[in-house]
Amino acid sequence: MLNRGLIVSCQACVNEPLYGYGIMPIMAKAAVEGGAVGIRALYDDVDAIKKVVNVPVIGLVKRNYQNCAVYITPTEKEVDLVLATRADCLAIDATSRPRPGGIMLKDLVSYIRSKKPDVELMADVDTLENAIRAEEIGFDYISTTLRYTEETRGIQLPDIDFLAEVIKRVKRSKVIAEGGIFETGELEKISRINPYAVVIGSAVTRPAVITNRFVKAL
C-alpha cells in the first residue's frame, strides 16, 4: 500500500511535550501537504489521522515490559490494539531479542495474518541477519528503524552502509530507510542507494528535539 517517497513519523509518547493534546493529526496533515506519502503513528492517533489524510498510515504501539528490551508492538495484546484501528500497515520490532512471554516473531506474524490478512507488516530491524530473517518470515517492508540496539551500540546514525547492504541482500521485501536522518545532505546520499521509501520523525515532528539540536550547536 505504501508508495515510494517520504514517510513522516508523527508520534508523541507519554512525558513528551506534545502528548495528549490531539496535535498528531494536525502534524500528519501538514506533513502530507508538504509531500509525505505515508504517516507512521501510535495506535491511539491512527483513526484521527486517517480522518484528515488520504495516505497510508503505519500503526504501532510503544510499550515497555519489565526486563525486556523489545517495546515496539511486542505482543499479541499490542497487535490487537493496532488491528482495532484503520491502520494500513503494522510495525513490529523484528530484532532477535526475546519478547515478553517468550512469543516468537514468526508466531506473532502468523497471529496477525490470521486475524487481518490485508494489513501489511513492517519489520523494524537492527542487523542484516534480522533483516534477512524478517524477509523469510514474510514481512512486506523492512525498516532500519532499530539500528541502535545493544548489538549495534556505538554505530553512528544514519548508517548508510548498513542500508546499502540490506538493499543488496533483501530481494522480496521493500526496504525502508529510517533512523537518525536529520539533514537533506543525508537524504541525498540515501537517495543514491535507492531504498523504497524513507521515514523521518524527530527532524520534522519533535520540536523539543529540534530545538535542543540548535541549542547544542549554539
Side-chain angles (χ1 to χ4, degrees), residues 50-147:
K50 291 288 287 186
K51 290 179 181 178
V52 297
V53 302
N54 59 353
V55 299
V57 176
I58 305 158
L60 64 141
V61 177
K62 288 184 175 178
R63 179 161 295 165
N64 293 310
Y65 282 82
Q66 190 172 9
N67 300 320
C68 181
V70 174
Y71 68 95
I72 297 178
T73 323
T75 74
E76 295 104 323
K77 182 179 179 179
E78 289 74 40
V79 162
D80 287 340
L81 291 173
V82 180
L83 294 184
T85 72
R86 295 172 57 201
D88 305 284
C89 182
L90 198 162
I92 304 174
D93 180 312
T95 66
S96 57
R97 300 177 295 183
R99 309 182 81 87
I103 185 171
M104 303 299 292
L105 180 62
K106 62 181 179 60
D107 296 328
L108 190 59
V109 169
S110 296
Y111 176 78
I112 298 166
R113 297 296 193 199
S114 68
K115 294 202 70 172
K116 209 167 184 180
D118 58 329
V119 170
E120 293 189 318
L121 296 180
M122 179 176 291
D124 291 342
V125 304
D126 56 344
T127 66
L128 179 61
E129 293 74 20
N130 288 331
I132 293 171
R133 182 174 66 111
E135 181 180 44
E136 292 171 349
I137 291 173
F139 279 88
D140 302 285
Y141 307 98
I142 294 174
S143 178
T144 59
T145 314
L146 293 172
R147 188 68 174 163

Side-chain angles (χ1 to χ4, degrees), residues 4-18:
R4 302 198 68 182
L6 180 67
I7 298 166
V8 173
S9 180
C10 298
Q11 300 179 36
C13 297
V14 177
N15 299 324
E16 291 187 357
L18 300 186

